[in-house]
Amino acid sequence: MTTAAPARTSFLLGLFGAGIGGSLTPAMQEREGFASGVNLTYRLVDAERLGYGVDNLAEMLDWAQRFGFDGLNITHPFKQVVIPLLDELSDDAHDLGAVNTVVFRDGRAIGRNTDWSGWGRAFRRRLPDAVSDRAVLVGAGGAGSAVGYALLEQGSAHVSIVDVDVEKAQACATRLAKRFGDDRVAATTDLAGALASAQGLVNATPTGMTGHPGLPVPAELVREDLWVSDVVYFPLETELIHLARSRGCRVVPGGGMAVFQAVGAFEYFTGVEPDAERMVRHFEELTR
Ligand SMILES: NC(=O)C1=CN([C@@H]2O[C@H](COP(=O)(O)OP(=O)(O)OC[C@H]3O[C@@H](n4cnc5c(N)ncnc54)[C@H](O)[C@@H]3O)[C@@H](O)[C@H]2O)C=CC1
Ligand SMILES: O=C1C[C@@](O)(C(=O)O)C[C@@H](O)[C@@H]1O
């Protein structure tokens, strides 16, 4: 007689990254676990504090599995370098070239990305009528690739990508064009020209974060008829969001992406659908 494997009764999860001490993800995941009856522990593993860099990532993944972790979120600077170390990759993570969620199952490490679905869900919640708009995306790193993927996946007619590192903008556009077609996405150095024919602007650079004050684009380009989104969520009201709001623009601040990346990861980790609105309320409590 064969016996079915016992249902999993608890989950050990963590976040791998550098300088992650202020992350709200552990609190969001543990609170949602408690509220939904899933026994879940979520630990921060700060590579900076451990003196670990990208060369130690394989070792870190290996010991996480050996020590019984069921899954990990992965953040800066590991989102791209983790890819070759995984056994399996979801199509979306492959197409956008970054992983923020690794699930360990039956000795295999499976990479996924909930940054894009998180930003997309937060966007559609606020501006459902704007999904087909033309947009300008500033910043082509890990967050920018995820936002570009989300914009195109949810129907944006065209995305122009700008980065101070022109090669990075081009590489991001080339990658997204492979998936969505080169008539819908392009890198450009002409920010003003691209914005003139767009309805939306997304900041996916660190500019505006605590410690990186300022605006990622010249103030005069923030027109009142643009919608404006920021991925930065420390602070929640960045200089860009503040300026855009004061000019009457519709805005999507970075807090929504922070919550909905956790919503998506919770479901991948546990197989249980979390209560997303409860997680939003909890995030609001944490950031009040
Ligand atoms: N809300 C959320 O849940 C999340 C927020 N983030 C935030 O997104 C921001 C970016 O993170 P990553 O993409 O991982 O960083 P990254 O370092 O991979 O990419 C940032 C990119 O912005 C470019 N850049 C910097 N200043 C610029 C400027 N003024 N104009 C044009 N390009 C510029 C850089 O050349 C780089 O390519 C960080 O502040 C991070 O905290 C990241 C992930 C999730
Ligand atoms: O980059 C981020 C932010 C994060 O690292 C956090 O600190 O909340 C959690 C990651 O899952 C996400 O991809």
Side-chain angles (χ1 to χ4, degrees):
M1 193 180 82
T2 55
T3 7
R8 188 177 296 275
T9 54
S10 65
F11 293 87
L12 176 58
L13 306 170
L15 171 63
F16 271 15
I20 52 178
S23 175
L24 299 178
T25 294
M28 284 194 280
Q29 296 289 5
E30 290 193 344
R31 170 87 165 259
E32 184 56 23
F34 185 75
S36 57
V38 175
N39 189 350
L40 180 164
T41 299
Y42 193 108
R43 294 274 179 254
L44 286 182
V45 184
D46 191 332
E48 207 165 73
R49 291 182 60 188
L50 293 167
Y52 280 4
V54 291
D55 293 341
N56 307 103
L57 183 59
E59 183 193 335
M60 289 167 77
L61 282 179
D62 189 47
W63 65 244
Q65 273 181 287
R66 286 167 192 253
F67 278 82
F69 276 75
D70 299 292
L72 297 170
N73 282 127
I74 305 286
T75 193
H76 182 77
F78 302 122
K79 284 182 181 177
Q80 278 129 5
V81 291
V82 74
I83 290 178
L85 305 173
L86 302 171
D87 299 305
E88 211 178 304
L89 200 56
S90 61
D91 290 345
D92 49 6
H94 170 268
D95 291 347
L96 73 87
V99 160
N100 82 318
T101 301
V102 175
V103 179
F104 298 123
R105 285 278 183 280
D106 305 321
R108 293 172 65 74
I110 304 156
R112 296 181 177 273
N113 189 298
T114 66
D115 284 333
W116 81 264
S117 51
W119 185 85
R121 201 163 159 185
F123 183 88
R124 293 193 304 280
R125 199 165 167 264
R126 290 237 180 179
L127 304 180
D129 57 303
V131 290
S132 57
D133 285 355
R134 293 175 69 91
V136 174
L137 170 62
V138 184
S145 306
V147 170
Y149 187 97
L151 281 163
L152 291 161
E153 178 68 22
Q154 67 190 16
S156 171
H158 190 269
V159 178
S160 298
I161 304 177
V162 179
D163 196 296
V164 282
D165 182 336
V166 177
E167 282 176 19
K168 255 176 120 171
Q170 190 55 61
C172 182
T174 303
R175 182 178 279 280
L176 292 173
K178 257 192 216 153
R179 166 74 175 78
F180 296 103
D182 54 16
D183 53 333
R184 292 183 63 203
V185 55
T188 181
T189 51
D190 180 11
L191 173 64
L195 274 172
S197 62
Q199 293 82 47
L201 164 69
V202 187
N203 173 46
T205 78
T207 306
M209 254 175 103
T210 309
H212 301 261
L215 287 170
V217 299
E220 63 272 18
L221 295 182
V222 181
R223 307 187 312 265
E224 63 179 30
D225 61 314
L226 281 177
W227 54 257
V228 175
S229 176
D230 207 326
V231 300
V232 172
Y233 76 105
F234 278 115
L236 277 180
E237 183 88 358
T238 59
E239 285 181 48
L240 176 64
I241 292 293
H242 185 74
L243 173 72
R245 220 191 272 282
S246 73
R247 292 200 172 154
C249 304
R250 297 193 295 163
V251 297
V252 185
M257 180 183 190
V259 181
F260 285 105
Q261 63 76 29
V263 169
F266 185 97
E267 185 156 3
Y268 284 138
F269 289 141
T270 66
V272 174
E273 189 183 343
D275 180 335
E277 292 308 319
R278 181 166 59 202
M279 290 182 78
V280 169
R281 288 194 298 279
H282 182 214
F283 181 82
E284 286 168 356
E285 269 174 43
L286 290 168
T287 52
R288 207 168 277 151

